[in-house]
């Protein structure tokens, strides 16, 4: 049990729609990062937030955006969904400002885009 | 920039046999190295990590890995496989003392045969 919860667990959307995925981190974890895991691939870094500010971004277009809230919850928003956005989306939190040494992953949200 | 190559997308061993999962990395800075395990429909769980110091690191569930700088490798081993070890295993690298996002390999699926 990592103390990181994600909702919903599964989601089906159609192409062109918008989606919001949610993550609740452990209390005291100021950093949250999001990863996309396509079928048969390793997770890919989307972006990271520290104290409600984005402080790192991977190779994902601007239609992927996020928010982090003071209550240790966060959101991943994806606009104009494409078929290739179908993947498992993982949230990970950390007690530090940066760093991957102590990452705690949630179980993910499985997004299917039809 | 960092990258990870996991040799073998699928490894099959008999119960009680040695488990060896291969990982080679590329990094322009001293790396932090990780092995994660993913069970079906679950998120990632940290098995072990190398940051600095001793190059042979021990993790949970009897797994261990050795950091070999000269070979740029971080192979995962377990002396005796158990049925419960069947899962997907991911090697990951982070640079700058862990202050960059994780870069994952594509994963190796381990099957354990009774």
């Amino acid at each position: 049990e990592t103390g990181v919860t994600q909702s919903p667990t599964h989601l089906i959307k159609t192409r062109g729609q918008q989606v919001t995925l949610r993550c609740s981190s452990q209390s005291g974890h100021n950093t949250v990062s999001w990863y996309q895991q396509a079928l048969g691939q390793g997770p890919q870094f989307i972006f990271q937030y520290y104290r409600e500010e984005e402080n790192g971004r991977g190779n994902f277009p601007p239609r992927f955006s996020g928010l982090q809230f003071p209550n240790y919850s966060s959101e991943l928003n994806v606009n104009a969904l494409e078929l290739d956005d179908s993947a498992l989306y993982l949230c990970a939190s950390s007690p530090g400002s940066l760093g991957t040494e102590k990452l705690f992953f949630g179980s993910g949200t499985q997004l299917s885009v039809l | 920039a960092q990258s990870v190559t996991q040799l073998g997308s699928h490894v099959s061993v008999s119960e009680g046999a040695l488990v060896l999962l291969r990982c080679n990395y590329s990094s322009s800075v001293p790396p932090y190295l990780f092995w994660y395990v993913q069970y079906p429909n679950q998120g990632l769980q940290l098995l072990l990590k190398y940051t600095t110091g001793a190059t042979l690191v021990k993790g949970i569930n009897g797994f261990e890995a050795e950091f070999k700088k000269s070979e740029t490798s971080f192979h995962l081993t377990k002396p005796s496989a158990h049925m419960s070890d069947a899962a997907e295993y991911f090697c990951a690298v982070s640079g700058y003392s862990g202050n960059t996002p994780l870069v994952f390999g594509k994963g190796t699926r381990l099957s354990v045969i009774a």
Side-chain angles (χ1 to χ4, degrees):
Chain A
E1 181 61 46
T2 65
V4 179
T5 57
Q6 293 186 242
S7 62
T9 56
H10 295 83
L11 199 54
I12 299 174
K13 291 285 188 178
T14 57
R15 191 171 48 184
Q17 285 188 312
Q18 180 267 340
V19 69
T20 297
L21 310 182
R22 293 180 172 83
C23 174
S24 178
S25 306
Q26 288 189 34
S27 177
H29 282 199
N30 294 313
T31 298
V32 65
S33 52
W34 287 87
Y35 287 79
Q36 180 196 65
Q37 185 179 9
L39 189 63
Q41 302 293 317
Q44 280 195 296
F45 174 71
I46 303 175
F47 47 56
Q48 178 174 280
Y49 280 77
Y50 172 66
R51 291 186 174 174
E52 303 161 50
E53 297 284 335
E54 183 180 302
N55 71 344
R57 190 174 185 92
N59 189 27
F60 280 80
R63 59 189 185 84
F64 285 77
S65 63
L67 287 170
Q68 184 185 25
F69 303 100
N71 64 352
Y72 305 108
S73 66
S74 61
E75 292 180 353
L76 164 65
N77 299 290
V78 187
N79 293 322
L81 284 167
E82 300 177 0
L83 297 180
D84 286 348
D85 295 334
S86 296
L88 179 69
Y89 288 85
L90 296 166
C91 165
S93 71
S94 168
S97 59
L98 288 170
T100 52
E101 193 169 344
K102 292 182 180 179
L103 275 184
F104 297 84
F105 281 86
S107 296
T109 294
Q110 184 67 54
L111 173 64
S112 298
V113 182
L114 306 179
Chain B
Q2 290 94 30
S3 66
V4 170
T5 301
Q6 291 185 241
L7 298 176
S9 60
H10 185 207
V11 170
S12 184
V13 300
S14 299
E15 192 174 19
L18 172 72
V19 175
L20 170 60
L21 304 183
R22 299 177 187 273
C23 171
N24 288 90
Y25 71 90
S26 173
S27 178
S28 56
V29 297
Y32 278 17
L33 294 159
F34 306 80
W35 276 99
Y36 283 87
V37 61
Q38 187 176 37
Y39 297 101
N41 302 315
Q42 294 188 27
L44 301 171
Q45 180 182 5
L46 180 66
L47 275 178
L48 50 79
K49 62 185 177 186
Y50 167 79
T51 55
T52 59
T55 56
L56 180 64
V57 292
K58 296 185 184 298
I60 61 172
N61 301 336
F63 285 94
E64 64 181 37
E66 186 171 10
F67 169 59
K68 292 187 176 181
K69 184 178 179 181
S70 62
E71 299 177 8
T72 61
S73 69
F74 191 58
H75 302 330
L76 181 71
T77 60
K78 181 175 181 178
S80 177
H82 191 273
M83 297 297 289
S84 61
D85 295 327
E88 190 88 19
Y89 291 80
F90 293 95
C91 181
V93 64
S94 174
Y96 291 111
S97 299
N99 286 338
T100 61
L102 287 174
V103 174
F104 286 88
K106 291 187 175 182
T108 297
R109 176 160 296 179
L110 176 66
S111 297
V112 181
I113 304 168

